[in-house]
mmCIF file with all atom_site columns, all heavy atoms in Angstrom:
data_model
loop_
_atom_site.group_PDB
_atom_site.id
_atom_site.type_symbol
_atom_site.label_atom_id
_atom_site.label_alt_id
_atom_site.label_comp_id
_atom_site.label_asym_id
_atom_site.label_entity_id
_atom_site.label_seq_id
_atom_site.pdbx_PDB_ins_code
_atom_site.Cartn_x
_atom_site.Cartn_y
_atom_site.Cartn_z
_atom_site.occupancy
_atom_site.B_iso_or_equiv
_atom_site.pdbx_formal_charge
_atom_site.auth_seq_id
_atom_site.auth_comp_id
_atom_site.auth_asym_id
_atom_site.auth_atom_id
_atom_site.pdbx_PDB_model_num
ATOM 1   N N   . ALA A 1 143 ? -60.380 -2.486 50.137 1.00 70.00 ? 529 ALA A N   1
ATOM 2   C CA  . ALA A 1 143 ? -60.350 -1.122 49.602 1.00 70.00 ? 529 ALA A CA  1
ATOM 3   C C   . ALA A 1 143 ? -59.842 -1.077 48.169 1.00 70.00 ? 529 ALA A C   1
ATOM 4   O O   . ALA A 1 143 ? -60.146 -0.145 47.417 1.00 70.00 ? 529 ALA A O   1
ATOM 5   C CB  . ALA A 1 143 ? -59.483 -0.242 50.501 1.00 70.00 ? 529 ALA A CB  1
ATOM 6   N N   . PHE A 1 145 ? -60.809 -2.834 45.843 1.00 70.00 ? 531 PHE A N   1
ATOM 7   C CA  . PHE A 1 145 ? -61.938 -3.075 44.943 1.00 70.00 ? 531 PHE A CA  1
ATOM 8   C C   . PHE A 1 145 ? -63.091 -2.108 45.197 1.00 70.00 ? 531 PHE A C   1
ATOM 9   O O   . PHE A 1 145 ? -64.114 -2.165 44.505 1.00 70.00 ? 531 PHE A O   1
ATOM 10  C CB  . PHE A 1 145 ? -62.441 -4.514 45.117 1.00 70.00 ? 531 PHE A CB  1
ATOM 11  C CG  . PHE A 1 145 ? -61.365 -5.543 44.945 1.00 70.00 ? 531 PHE A CG  1
ATOM 12  C CD1 . PHE A 1 145 ? -60.755 -6.111 46.048 1.00 70.00 ? 531 PHE A CD1 1
ATOM 13  C CD2 . PHE A 1 145 ? -60.925 -5.915 43.687 1.00 70.00 ? 531 PHE A CD2 1
ATOM 14  C CE1 . PHE A 1 145 ? -59.754 -7.058 45.900 1.00 70.00 ? 531 PHE A CE1 1
ATOM 15  C CE2 . PHE A 1 145 ? -59.926 -6.854 43.531 1.00 70.00 ? 531 PHE A CE2 1
ATOM 16  C CZ  . PHE A 1 145 ? -59.333 -7.427 44.636 1.00 70.00 ? 531 PHE A CZ  1
ATOM 17  N N   . LEU A 1 146 ? -62.943 -1.251 46.222 1.00 62.00 ? 532 LEU A N   1
ATOM 18  C CA  . LEU A 1 146 ? -64.004 -0.295 46.555 1.00 62.00 ? 532 LEU A CA  1
ATOM 19  C C   . LEU A 1 146 ? -63.462 1.103  46.310 1.00 62.00 ? 532 LEU A C   1
ATOM 20  O O   . LEU A 1 146 ? -62.582 1.569  47.018 1.00 62.00 ? 532 LEU A O   1
ATOM 21  C CB  . LEU A 1 146 ? -64.423 -0.447 48.023 1.00 62.00 ? 532 LEU A CB  1
ATOM 22  C CG  . LEU A 1 146 ? -64.923 -1.840 48.439 1.00 62.00 ? 532 LEU A CG  1
ATOM 23  C CD1 . LEU A 1 146 ? -65.107 -1.900 49.945 1.00 62.00 ? 532 LEU A CD1 1
ATOM 24  C CD2 . LEU A 1 146 ? -66.229 -2.173 47.737 1.00 62.00 ? 532 LEU A CD2 1
ATOM 25  N N   . PHE A 1 147 ? -63.988 1.783  45.328 1.00 58.00 ? 533 PHE A N   1
ATOM 26  C CA  . PHE A 1 147 ? -63.430 3.070  44.931 1.00 58.00 ? 533 PHE A CA  1
ATOM 27  C C   . PHE A 1 147 ? -64.080 4.249  45.652 1.00 58.00 ? 533 PHE A C   1
ATOM 28  O O   . PHE A 1 147 ? -63.627 5.371  45.535 1.00 58.00 ? 533 PHE A O   1
ATOM 29  C CB  . PHE A 1 147 ? -63.570 3.250  43.412 1.00 58.00 ? 533 PHE A CB  1
ATOM 30  C CG  . PHE A 1 147 ? -62.838 2.184  42.646 1.00 58.00 ? 533 PHE A CG  1
ATOM 31  C CD1 . PHE A 1 147 ? -63.527 1.114  42.090 1.00 58.00 ? 533 PHE A CD1 1
ATOM 32  C CD2 . PHE A 1 147 ? -61.468 2.230  42.511 1.00 58.00 ? 533 PHE A CD2 1
ATOM 33  C CE1 . PHE A 1 147 ? -62.850 0.126  41.394 1.00 58.00 ? 533 PHE A CE1 1
ATOM 34  C CE2 . PHE A 1 147 ? -60.783 1.245  41.816 1.00 58.00 ? 533 PHE A CE2 1
ATOM 35  C CZ  . PHE A 1 147 ? -61.484 0.185  41.259 1.00 58.00 ? 533 PHE A CZ  1
ATOM 36  N N   . ARG A 1 148 ? -65.128 4.002  46.383 1.00 66.00 ? 534 ARG A N   1
ATOM 37  C CA  . ARG A 1 148 ? -65.769 5.057  47.161 1.00 66.00 ? 534 ARG A CA  1
ATOM 38  C C   . ARG A 1 148 ? -65.352 4.917  48.615 1.00 66.00 ? 534 ARG A C   1
ATOM 39  O O   . ARG A 1 148 ? -65.422 3.844  49.205 1.00 66.00 ? 534 ARG A O   1
ATOM 40  C CB  . ARG A 1 148 ? -67.293 4.969  47.044 1.00 66.00 ? 534 ARG A CB  1
ATOM 41  C CG  . ARG A 1 148 ? -67.827 5.322  45.665 1.00 66.00 ? 534 ARG A CG  1
ATOM 42  C CD  . ARG A 1 148 ? -69.309 5.052  45.563 1.00 66.00 ? 534 ARG A CD  1
ATOM 43  N NE  . ARG A 1 148 ? -70.056 5.730  46.617 1.00 66.00 ? 534 ARG A NE  1
ATOM 44  C CZ  . ARG A 1 148 ? -71.324 5.450  46.909 1.00 66.00 ? 534 ARG A CZ  1
ATOM 45  N NH1 . ARG A 1 148 ? -71.966 4.505  46.244 1.00 66.00 ? 534 ARG A NH1 1
ATOM 46  N NH2 . ARG A 1 148 ? -71.943 6.113  47.863 1.00 66.00 ? 534 ARG A NH2 1
ATOM 47  N N   . VAL A 1 149 ? -64.931 6.031  49.208 1.00 64.00 ? 535 VAL A N   1
ATOM 48  C CA  . VAL A 1 149 ? -64.417 5.979  50.572 1.00 64.00 ? 535 VAL A CA  1
ATOM 49  C C   . VAL A 1 149 ? -65.501 5.575  51.567 1.00 64.00 ? 535 VAL A C   1
ATOM 50  O O   . VAL A 1 149 ? -65.217 4.961  52.603 1.00 64.00 ? 535 VAL A O   1
ATOM 51  C CB  . VAL A 1 149 ? -63.794 7.343  50.943 1.00 64.00 ? 535 VAL A CB  1
ATOM 52  C CG1 . VAL A 1 149 ? -64.857 8.421  51.083 1.00 64.00 ? 535 VAL A CG1 1
ATOM 53  C CG2 . VAL A 1 149 ? -62.977 7.225  52.220 1.00 64.00 ? 535 VAL A CG2 1
ATOM 54  N N   . GLU A 1 150 ? -66.761 5.898  51.268 1.00 65.00 ? 536 GLU A N   1
ATOM 55  C CA  . GLU A 1 150 ? -67.848 5.493  52.157 1.00 65.00 ? 536 GLU A CA  1
ATOM 56  C C   . GLU A 1 150 ? -67.918 3.970  52.254 1.00 65.00 ? 536 GLU A C   1
ATOM 57  O O   . GLU A 1 150 ? -68.196 3.408  53.314 1.00 65.00 ? 536 GLU A O   1
ATOM 58  C CB  . GLU A 1 150 ? -69.188 6.043  51.666 1.00 65.00 ? 536 GLU A CB  1
ATOM 59  C CG  . GLU A 1 150 ? -69.271 7.560  51.633 1.00 65.00 ? 536 GLU A CG  1
ATOM 60  C CD  . GLU A 1 150 ? -68.767 8.126  50.312 1.00 65.00 ? 536 GLU A CD  1
ATOM 61  O OE1 . GLU A 1 150 ? -68.231 7.345  49.499 1.00 65.00 ? 536 GLU A OE1 1
ATOM 62  O OE2 . GLU A 1 150 ? -68.896 9.352  50.110 1.00 65.00 ? 536 GLU A OE2 1
ATOM 63  N N   . LEU A 1 151 ? -67.652 3.284  51.142 1.00 72.00 ? 537 LEU A N   1
ATOM 64  C CA  . LEU A 1 151 ? -67.687 1.826  51.137 1.00 72.00 ? 537 LEU A CA  1
ATOM 65  C C   . LEU A 1 151 ? -66.503 1.233  51.889 1.00 72.00 ? 537 LEU A C   1
ATOM 66  O O   . LEU A 1 151 ? -66.607 0.153  52.463 1.00 72.00 ? 537 LEU A O   1
ATOM 67  C CB  . LEU A 1 151 ? -67.715 1.308  49.692 1.00 72.00 ? 537 LEU A CB  1
ATOM 68  C CG  . LEU A 1 151 ? -68.958 1.696  48.879 1.00 72.00 ? 537 LEU A CG  1
ATOM 69  C CD1 . LEU A 1 151 ? -68.884 1.107  47.471 1.00 72.00 ? 537 LEU A CD1 1
ATOM 70  C CD2 . LEU A 1 151 ? -70.230 1.206  49.574 1.00 72.00 ? 537 LEU A CD2 1
ATOM 71  N N   . ILE A 1 152 ? -65.360 1.948  51.887 1.00 73.00 ? 538 ILE A N   1
ATOM 72  C CA  . ILE A 1 152 ? -64.209 1.481  52.643 1.00 73.00 ? 538 ILE A CA  1
ATOM 73  C C   . ILE A 1 152 ? -64.540 1.475  54.137 1.00 73.00 ? 538 ILE A C   1
ATOM 74  O O   . ILE A 1 152 ? -64.203 0.537  54.867 1.00 73.00 ? 538 ILE A O   1
ATOM 75  C CB  . ILE A 1 152 ? -62.981 2.373  52.364 1.00 73.00 ? 538 ILE A CB  1
ATOM 76  C CG1 . ILE A 1 152 ? -62.582 2.261  50.881 1.00 73.00 ? 538 ILE A CG1 1
ATOM 77  C CG2 . ILE A 1 152 ? -61.814 1.977  53.257 1.00 73.00 ? 538 ILE A CG2 1
ATOM 78  C CD1 . ILE A 1 152 ? -61.462 3.199  50.485 1.00 73.00 ? 538 ILE A CD1 1
ATOM 79  N N   . LEU A 1 153 ? -65.226 2.522  54.611 1.00 73.00 ? 539 LEU A N   1
ATOM 80  C CA  . LEU A 1 153 ? -65.623 2.574  56.012 1.00 73.00 ? 539 LEU A CA  1
ATOM 81  C C   . LEU A 1 153 ? -66.594 1.449  56.351 1.00 73.00 ? 539 LEU A C   1
ATOM 82  O O   . LEU A 1 153 ? -66.508 0.821  57.410 1.00 73.00 ? 539 LEU A O   1
ATOM 83  C CB  . LEU A 1 153 ? -66.252 3.934  56.328 1.00 73.00 ? 539 LEU A CB  1
ATOM 84  C CG  . LEU A 1 153 ? -65.325 5.151  56.230 1.00 73.00 ? 539 LEU A CG  1
ATOM 85  C CD1 . LEU A 1 153 ? -66.113 6.431  56.456 1.00 73.00 ? 539 LEU A CD1 1
ATOM 86  C CD2 . LEU A 1 153 ? -64.195 5.054  57.227 1.00 73.00 ? 539 LEU A CD2 1
ATOM 87  N N   . LEU A 1 154 ? -67.520 1.175  55.448 1.00 79.00 ? 540 LEU A N   1
ATOM 88  C CA  . LEU A 1 154 ? -68.450 0.067  55.673 1.00 79.00 ? 540 LEU A CA  1
ATOM 89  C C   . LEU A 1 154 ? -67.724 -1.272 55.671 1.00 79.00 ? 540 LEU A C   1
ATOM 90  O O   . LEU A 1 154 ? -68.087 -2.192 56.408 1.00 79.00 ? 540 LEU A O   1
ATOM 91  C CB  . LEU A 1 154 ? -69.545 0.079  54.596 1.00 79.00 ? 540 LEU A CB  1
ATOM 92  C CG  . LEU A 1 154 ? -70.567 1.218  54.701 1.00 79.00 ? 540 LEU A CG  1
ATOM 93  C CD1 . LEU A 1 154 ? -71.528 1.179  53.524 1.00 79.00 ? 540 LEU A CD1 1
ATOM 94  C CD2 . LEU A 1 154 ? -71.328 1.148  56.018 1.00 79.00 ? 540 LEU A CD2 1
ATOM 95  N N   . ALA A 1 155 ? -66.678 -1.396 54.838 1.00 81.00 ? 541 ALA A N   1
ATOM 96  C CA  . ALA A 1 155 ? -65.867 -2.617 54.837 1.00 81.00 ? 541 ALA A CA  1
ATOM 97  C C   . ALA A 1 155 ? -65.210 -2.812 56.200 1.00 81.00 ? 541 ALA A C   1
ATOM 98  O O   . ALA A 1 155 ? -65.118 -3.940 56.708 1.00 81.00 ? 541 ALA A O   1
ATOM 99  C CB  . ALA A 1 155 ? -64.813 -2.546 53.739 1.00 81.00 ? 541 ALA A CB  1
ATOM 100 N N   . GLU A 1 226 ? -62.575 15.362 45.558 1.00 75.00 ? 612 GLU A N   1
ATOM 101 C CA  . GLU A 1 226 ? -61.513 14.578 44.924 1.00 75.00 ? 612 GLU A CA  1
ATOM 102 C C   . GLU A 1 226 ? -61.047 15.200 43.615 1.00 75.00 ? 612 GLU A C   1
ATOM 103 O O   . GLU A 1 226 ? -59.847 15.245 43.329 1.00 75.00 ? 612 GLU A O   1
ATOM 104 C CB  . GLU A 1 226 ? -61.992 13.141 44.698 1.00 75.00 ? 612 GLU A CB  1
ATOM 105 C CG  . GLU A 1 226 ? -60.857 12.165 44.507 1.00 75.00 ? 612 GLU A CG  1
ATOM 106 C CD  . GLU A 1 226 ? -61.248 10.749 44.875 1.00 75.00 ? 612 GLU A CD  1
ATOM 107 O OE1 . GLU A 1 226 ? -61.960 10.562 45.882 1.00 75.00 ? 612 GLU A OE1 1
ATOM 108 O OE2 . GLU A 1 226 ? -60.846 9.835  44.144 1.00 75.00 ? 612 GLU A OE2 1
ATOM 109 N N   . ARG A 1 240 ? -54.519 8.926  50.388 1.00 83.00 ? 626 ARG A N   1
ATOM 110 C CA  . ARG A 1 240 ? -55.536 8.450  51.321 1.00 83.00 ? 626 ARG A CA  1
ATOM 111 C C   . ARG A 1 240 ? -55.155 7.085  51.879 1.00 83.00 ? 626 ARG A C   1
ATOM 112 O O   . ARG A 1 240 ? -55.283 6.828  53.088 1.00 83.00 ? 626 ARG A O   1
ATOM 113 C CB  . ARG A 1 240 ? -56.894 8.387  50.638 1.00 83.00 ? 626 ARG A CB  1
ATOM 114 C CG  . ARG A 1 240 ? -58.003 7.864  51.564 1.00 83.00 ? 626 ARG A CG  1
ATOM 115 C CD  . ARG A 1 240 ? -59.327 7.822  50.838 1.00 83.00 ? 626 ARG A CD  1
ATOM 116 N NE  . ARG A 1 240 ? -59.836 9.160  50.606 1.00 83.00 ? 626 ARG A NE  1
ATOM 117 C CZ  . ARG A 1 240 ? -60.421 9.559  49.474 1.00 83.00 ? 626 ARG A CZ  1
ATOM 118 N NH1 . ARG A 1 240 ? -60.509 8.724  48.451 1.00 83.00 ? 626 ARG A NH1 1
ATOM 119 N NH2 . ARG A 1 240 ? -60.880 10.777 49.362 1.00 83.00 ? 626 ARG A NH2 1
#
Side-chain angles (χ1 to χ4, degrees):
F531 306 99
L532 302 172
F533 299 101
R534 291 173 54 194
V535 69
E536 298 88 353
L537 296 181
I538 296 175
L539 295 175
L540 289 176
E612 200 155 320
R626 179 180 289 139

